[in-house]
Amino acid sequence: MMSIKSINPFTLEVLKSYDEMTNEQIDHAIEKAHQTFYSWRKTTLTERALILSRVAEILRSRKNELAKLITLEMGKLIKQAESEIEYAASIFEYYSKNGVDFLKDEPVEVTVGEAFIRKNPLGVLLGVEPWNFPFYQVARFAAPNLMIGNTILLKHASNVPQCAKAIETIFKEAKAPEGLYTNLFVRGSKVTKLIADKRIQGASLTGSEKAGSELAMMAGKFIKKSVLELGGSDPFIVLEDADIERTVALAIIGRTVNNGQSCIAAKRFIVVEKIAAEFLSKFKAKMKTLQLGDPLNTTTELGPLSSEDALETILEQINKAVSEGAKIETGGKKAALKGAFIEPTIISNITPKMQIYKEELFGPVASFYIVKNEEEAITLANDTDFGLGGSIFTKDLEKAKIMANEINSGMVFINHPTKSSVELPFGGTKRSGYGREMSPLGIDEFVNKKLIRVLSEDQKL
């Protein structure tokens, strides 16, 4: 049996190993979640909210410890890791406080009698979550669905097993019933097979296109609801009246947050030609001065990628682009540090015929494009298989709103890089997936919206 390893991407040290679950252990976990569903669905919304509230409290009380765990397992800067724990806590808190209102019966106007929509839980749900936000991603899936009355089986990314185990432990500390939230130590290759199990009623995946496609195929085959949040290649559009200094500062944040490993990170920088040279010059200068180093050090500005495999993948993408004629404006190589470090990189002279034009770059590597005007900017922004987020920078807010309507993505931010927030719906279109998480919409995905029609004995339709 293979082990699931926790490896520090800064030191490349193996921190801990866990045995993969046997088929018998997996079956037991599914059955326990299935049986727990029948009791959990009968609990009051107030009882469910109490569990979520306790989870939020425990996350906050253990913030420093849990943040360090994130940093050690996937390299996130410690301050960003602390923010992630706080954010995860706020998601559990949000649904504990608002879930009762979100799940109220919705009246339907009828001419005779009464009708309303009641939101019922579906049953056991399978979540497949990524390494880049190991607590936040789980929170945005688990919190609304537990509030609905579903139970959760969670297969986390194999390179953050300590984070995965910690989340399950937090639910136990919060006095959640056994089987309400269960961590599955299984390989990705086994995940899609689980969807065939009749006891599992739906699945949500945040991850790669390939993994999402396989999960969706199985969900479709067995007629089960699925939600996918996949990759992104978000445009960062800069118009000629934008405040250059402010926009460059936000470009750095948008491209390097989480060491550049975010599906909603700004990845394609599309700048109108009148200000392109000035923007690029200042963007390069800022990228060159970023301080690389130990992610546990609070002065570090850019940590390692999540693994040596991730580093190898992005270096191959860069080298392929250069071989096809792209230009490295800055960076482009492994940084001279132990660990999975890459130099902050900007690539220009990219054409539609190049492989990099079509790909997502998951690291601190920016693609830079020059366009004549906003019409060309919109055309370029939409010329991608992805459609997650995007941003527009300009003083003309009315023009920006018109442009936002023309961009084919799930989210568009004006004068700010795409950013998630618990009260805002999160999700994409095209090959970035489907469905929404967070906000009131996030509680509507895995529910049976049941019509209840009421007539008295002396009424008829």
Side-chain angles (χ1 to χ4, degrees), residues 227 409-411 425-429 433-438 441-443 445:
V227 167
S409 66
M411 303 168 281
F426 187 102
T429 186
Y434 49 78
R436 292 295 180 266
E437 294 181 307
M438 313 275 268
L441 299 186
I443 212 164
E445 291 290 350

Side-chain angles (χ1 to χ4, degrees), residues 93-137:
E93 187 175 64
Y94 175 81
Y95 285 107
S96 73
K97 289 182 175 179
N98 296 291
V100 173
D101 284 336
F102 294 161
L103 294 168
K104 281 181 178 176
D105 291 341
E106 297 176 7
V108 178
E109 189 173 338
V110 290
T111 55
V112 179
E114 178 189 5
F116 56 90
I117 305 297
R118 176 159 294 167
K119 297 175 182 177
N120 285 163
L122 297 182
V124 181
L125 302 179
L126 173 65
V128 184
E129 300 300 336
W131 49 263
N132 56 339
F133 293 92
F135 282 80
Y136 150 62
Q137 300 275 16

Side-chain angles (χ1 to χ4, degrees), residues 170-360:
I170 287 168
F171 273 94
K172 291 177 181 176
E173 291 176 6
K175 297 182 172 59
E178 186 183 356
L180 183 67
Y181 178 97
T182 307
N183 175 61
L184 299 179
F185 276 138
V186 297
R187 292 279 163 181
S189 57
K190 287 189 176 181
V191 170
T192 52
K193 295 176 183 176
L194 297 180
I195 299 170
D197 194 297
K198 289 184 178 181
R199 294 166 294 184
I200 294 176
Q201 298 302 309
S204 178
L205 179 144
T206 298
S208 70
E209 252 187 282
K210 181 176 182 294
S213 176
E214 290 174 356
L215 183 140
M217 216 165 25
M218 288 294 284
K221 179 178 179 180
F222 292 98
I223 317 176
K224 295 179 182 179
K225 176 68 185 287
S226 63
V227 167
L228 302 180
E229 195 274 281
L230 310 178
S233 191
D234 287 10
F236 184 105
I237 299 171
V238 186
L239 303 186
E240 63 184 52
D241 65 342
D243 180 330
I244 300 296
E245 295 293 339
R246 176 182 181 275
T247 304
V248 167
L250 290 172
I252 294 293
I253 294 170
R255 181 58 287 205
T256 65
V257 68
N258 204 37
N259 301 329
Q261 300 164 121
S262 171
C263 48
I264 57 168
K267 298 189 175 86
R268 294 180 296 141
F269 293 80
I270 301 170
V271 186
V272 295
E273 59 185 358
K274 186 174 180 179
I275 58 164
E278 181 186 1
F279 179 91
L280 179 58
S281 174
K282 293 179 176 179
F283 191 24
K284 283 168 64 174
K286 291 280 189 183
M287 288 284 268
K288 286 180 178 179
T289 60
L290 290 173
Q291 183 66 45
L292 280 66
D294 185 350
L296 286 173
N297 187 329
T298 56
T299 63
T300 298
E301 295 176 296
L302 195 64
L305 297 184
S306 63
S307 67
E308 289 185 291
D309 285 346
L311 174 63
E312 184 178 328
T313 295
I314 204 161
L315 287 173
E316 286 176 357
Q317 289 176 293
I318 293 169
N319 293 334
K320 176 69 172 175
V322 171
S323 73
E324 292 177 337
K327 178 184 177 183
I328 301 296
E329 297 286 348
T330 186
K333 301 187 295 294
K334 182 189 184 308
L337 292 167
K338 182 181 179 180
F341 285 92
I342 186 170
E343 296 173 339
T345 301
I346 302 173
I347 306 175
S348 64
N349 290 3
I350 299 170
T351 69
K353 292 183 179 179
M354 296 179 185
Q355 189 171 311
I356 198 172
Y357 184 86
K358 307 173 183 68
E359 295 178 329
E360 177 180 25

